[in-house]
Amino acid sequence: MSRAILWFRNDLRLADHPALTAACAAHEEVLPVLIIDPRQHEASPFGFDRSGPFRRRFLKESIADLDAQLRAKGSALHVRVGEPAAELAHLSEVWGTRVVHAQQLYAWEEQEQERAVAAALDLRLHAPNTLLLPGDLPFTVEKLPHVFTAFRHKVEKGSPVRPLLPEPDRLRSPAAWKGRALEDSALPVQASADDPRAVMHFTGGRTAGLERLTHYLGPERHLSHYKETRNALLGADNSSKLSPWLATGALSAREVWHAVKHYEAEHGANESTYWLVFELLWRDFFQFTAAKHGRDLFLRGGIARKPPTGNADLRRFSAWCEGRTGQPFIDANMRELAATGWMSNRGRQNAASYLVHDLGLDWRMGAWWFEHLLIDHDPCSNWGNWQYVAGVGNDPREGRRFDPERQAGMYDADGSYVRLWS
Ligand SMILES: Cc1cc2nc3c(=O)[nH]c(=O)nc-3n(C[C@H](O)[C@H](O)[C@H](O)COP(=O)(O)OP(=O)(O)OC[C@H]3O[C@@H](n4cnc5c(N)ncnc54)[C@H](O)[C@@H]3O)c2cc1C
């Protein structure tokens, strides 16, 4: 009997899932496993946990939803807590298979996990959750252009987006495979009601992710106005809000692309429909940047390997985290983040610029705080964007500072956003 472990990571779905498709094609029995690595959730260098309440809740909901999907196909999810290499080695002994299928991930710690697993077991890695697959790029990942525009021009000349892979009808697992739920104590989170000012409620899991995709690309045609509204600070439908489901892999980037193409066929293409795909390319760019630069994405000098700047003044840092800097636009954004786990892209650019260029702090402090709070945290997008703003990443221009007063005048002209979060 040929049997393999399917190691779920940031790919909490069954559709368009290259590792699942490959595992089902090659083996008679598949054992779906998810591992919470405590090192990725416990204390950051600044004391607070790496995953905070919003991301934990969203992740738990996503895991429960994945389990429900698997059960509907005749299998179940087995959740373990520990280092992936040790946990997978244990399961491999118990269930008598050395083969592990998994989605490839590009952030440094995830690469380290892969190396540890591959040293002990037969690890077979499959395509990442990017719009374009690495093998379809017109260059190797090592030759990734340093600047986004050069990347985009090259890939827009003809890198294909692959067709979607179908969800399997059934998943065969051993009769004794019962699955195992995530213990509450592994990722404790206190239940709390949504802040009534929250831009929207984000429920983890594919079911809610598909609902959001269908809503944003639905008959109200929000997508057709995306380019004009995407910088707004208030309102659920001004941007897609798909990032939490992309970050957990409840949706694949290719699914979003195909949905956009379907929408264009029905309602017509315009600058806005193009721009959503443009933003998905930014996402890809940071994924491939992580693949190319490895640990440098998380080091102070950045992928540009610049001399360190910025200090670690904890008093200023706390004021920034708590929305007490005295700069109303920055404080409003930071309060929204702390109360809801969400901040708009415009807010993130400004809050990051303020920490680096106005407060003179080490950019990594801000990246840790975002990692703690953002419901959509993704290591490649978060640390890549922080490096970009801090001038140690892919930005070709030095010292790009946002003037918060000017930005507030442009994006919150009537002050309603600052008032909401004052
Ligand atoms: C300092 C900083 C930290 C950030 N941290 C994260 C993070 O941890 N996770 C994350 O997903 N995004 C991050 N972003 C990027 C961006 O702010 C969010 O992706 C976006 O705000 C999510 O909202 P949306 O889904 O409505 O995006 P939309 O505007 O609707 O865009 C569609 C999708 O494109 C992708 N995207 C858009 N902008 C970017 C970008 N600049 N970089 C990478 N992908 C992008 C996202 O997947 C997004 O869901 C960060 C940006 C900054 C400046």
Side-chain angles (χ1 to χ4, degrees):
M1 172 74 65
S2 158
R3 186 180 271 183
I5 294 172
L6 176 61
W7 173 26
F8 279 98
R9 308 175 80 197
N10 292 352
D11 49 354
L12 307 185
R13 65 180 186 282
L14 303 184
D16 194 35
H17 195 301
L20 171 62
T21 303
C24 289
H27 307 279
E28 288 163 285
E29 289 183 342
V30 174
L31 317 177
V33 172
L34 181 138
I35 301 163
I36 300 289
D37 188 337
R39 297 171 298 184
Q40 299 190 311
H41 295 275
E42 288 165 354
S44 71
F46 296 95
F48 48 83
D49 282 345
R50 289 180 60 181
S51 66
F54 306 108
R55 191 148 64 86
R56 285 184 180 189
R57 181 190 51 74
F58 192 84
L59 179 60
K60 286 178 160 183
E61 290 167 355
S62 309
I63 292 172
D65 190 78
L66 178 65
D67 183 47
Q69 290 175 56
L70 285 165
R71 285 180 191 274
K73 304 274 177 194
S75 184
L77 185 66
H78 183 96
V79 183
R80 301 189 72 82
V81 179
E83 295 192 15
E87 298 303 321
L88 289 169
H90 168 75
L91 288 172
S92 141
E93 291 246 318
V94 174
W95 293 95
T97 173
R98 295 193 67 257
V99 180
V100 178
H101 290 268
Q103 175 197 252
Q104 179 166 31
L105 290 175
Y106 286 142
W108 178 251
E109 287 177 352
E110 283 73 8
Q111 287 186 31
E112 294 267 81
Q113 290 176 339
E114 286 163 17
R115 281 188 277 273
V117 173
L121 299 168
D122 178 0
L123 176 62
R124 303 185 190 172
L125 288 172
H126 302 274
N129 185 8
T130 44
L131 187 56
L132 306 171
L133 301 191
D136 293 337
L137 298 174
F139 37 75
T140 61
V141 165
E142 291 71 36
K143 292 266 164 59
L144 176 79
H146 184 65
V147 175
F148 172 72
T149 309
F151 164 79
R152 181 173 62 81
H153 285 157
K154 287 193 172 167
V155 299
E156 281 184 343
K157 280 200 185 114
S159 297
V161 176
R162 296 286 184 107
L164 297 177
L165 297 170
E167 199 170 311
D169 292 333
R170 299 257 335 139
L171 224 83
R172 291 180 309 274
S173 301
W177 184 257
K178 297 283 176 258
R180 182 160 121 166
L182 174 65
E183 293 154 19
D184 254 0
S185 57
L187 286 180
V189 49
Q190 277 181 343
S192 63
D194 274 358
D195 189 299
R197 298 166 293 179
V199 73
M200 63 177 261
H201 179 81
F202 294 92
T203 303
R206 179 168 177 81
T207 310
L210 282 175
E211 271 170 26
R212 177 65 196 169
L213 183 64
T214 311
H215 169 78
Y216 193 69
L217 274 63
E220 291 174 50
R221 301 196 193 183
H222 299 298
L223 178 58
S224 297
H225 308 285
Y226 170 70
K227 187 145 186 274
E228 304 95 69
T229 56
R230 58 183 282 274
N231 277 307
L233 303 155
L234 293 165
D237 296 329
N238 290 322
S239 67
S240 75
K241 309 289 189 296
L242 289 172
S243 51
W245 292 286
L246 286 165
T248 45
L251 296 175
S252 82
R254 295 173 293 271
E255 286 181 303
V256 177
W257 185 89
H258 282 282
V260 170
K261 293 296 140 190
H262 184 75
Y263 180 98
E264 288 178 336
E266 212 160 274
H267 304 298
N270 67 7
E271 273 204 313
S272 285
T273 59
Y274 166 76
W275 214 263
L276 194 82
V277 174
F278 176 99
E279 294 299 338
L280 290 175
L281 288 180
W282 264 110
R283 182 176 172 279
D284 270 20
F285 181 61
F286 285 123
Q287 298 287 324
F288 296 130
T289 295
K292 177 178 173 182
H293 292 282
R295 193 159 44 182
D296 284 353
L297 193 69
F298 303 91
L299 299 184
R300 195 169 177 191
I303 62 171
R305 301 197 171 171
K306 290 202 173 161
T309 55
N311 63 63
D313 184 327
L314 289 179
R315 207 175 41 83
R316 285 179 172 207
F317 180 54
S318 299
W320 179 81
C321 294
E322 291 162 19
R324 292 186 289 101
T325 66
Q327 208 309 316
F329 186 58
I330 301 302
D331 288 348
N333 276 288
M334 295 306 297
R335 286 179 200 153
E336 181 187 12
L337 177 65
T340 68
W342 182 261
M343 190 194 282
S344 67
N345 183 56
R346 182 56 41 192
R348 297 180 200 197
Q349 310 267 1
N350 275 279
S353 164
Y354 195 80
L355 177 129
V356 172
H357 301 295
D358 293 64
L359 299 177
L361 295 173
D362 178 346
W363 66 269
R364 293 172 307 169
M365 299 166 90
W368 282 120
W369 186 246
F370 273 29
E371 175 164 334
H372 170 66
L373 279 175
L374 278 179
I375 205 163
D376 66 7
H377 177 258
D378 170 89
C380 309
S381 290
N382 185 44
W383 292 75
N385 271 290
W386 268 97
Q387 289 214 352
Y388 194 93
V389 176
V392 297
N394 309 83
D395 191 351
R397 277 184 12 198
E398 296 268 327
R400 192 193 293 258
R401 173 183 177 270
F402 286 92
D403 175 345
E405 273 178 37
R406 190 159 172 268
Q407 291 274 310
M410 287 166 71
Y411 299 106
D412 187 33
D414 65 1
S416 50
Y417 178 73
V418 165
R419 267 197 308 283
L420 183 69
W421 290 103
S422 62

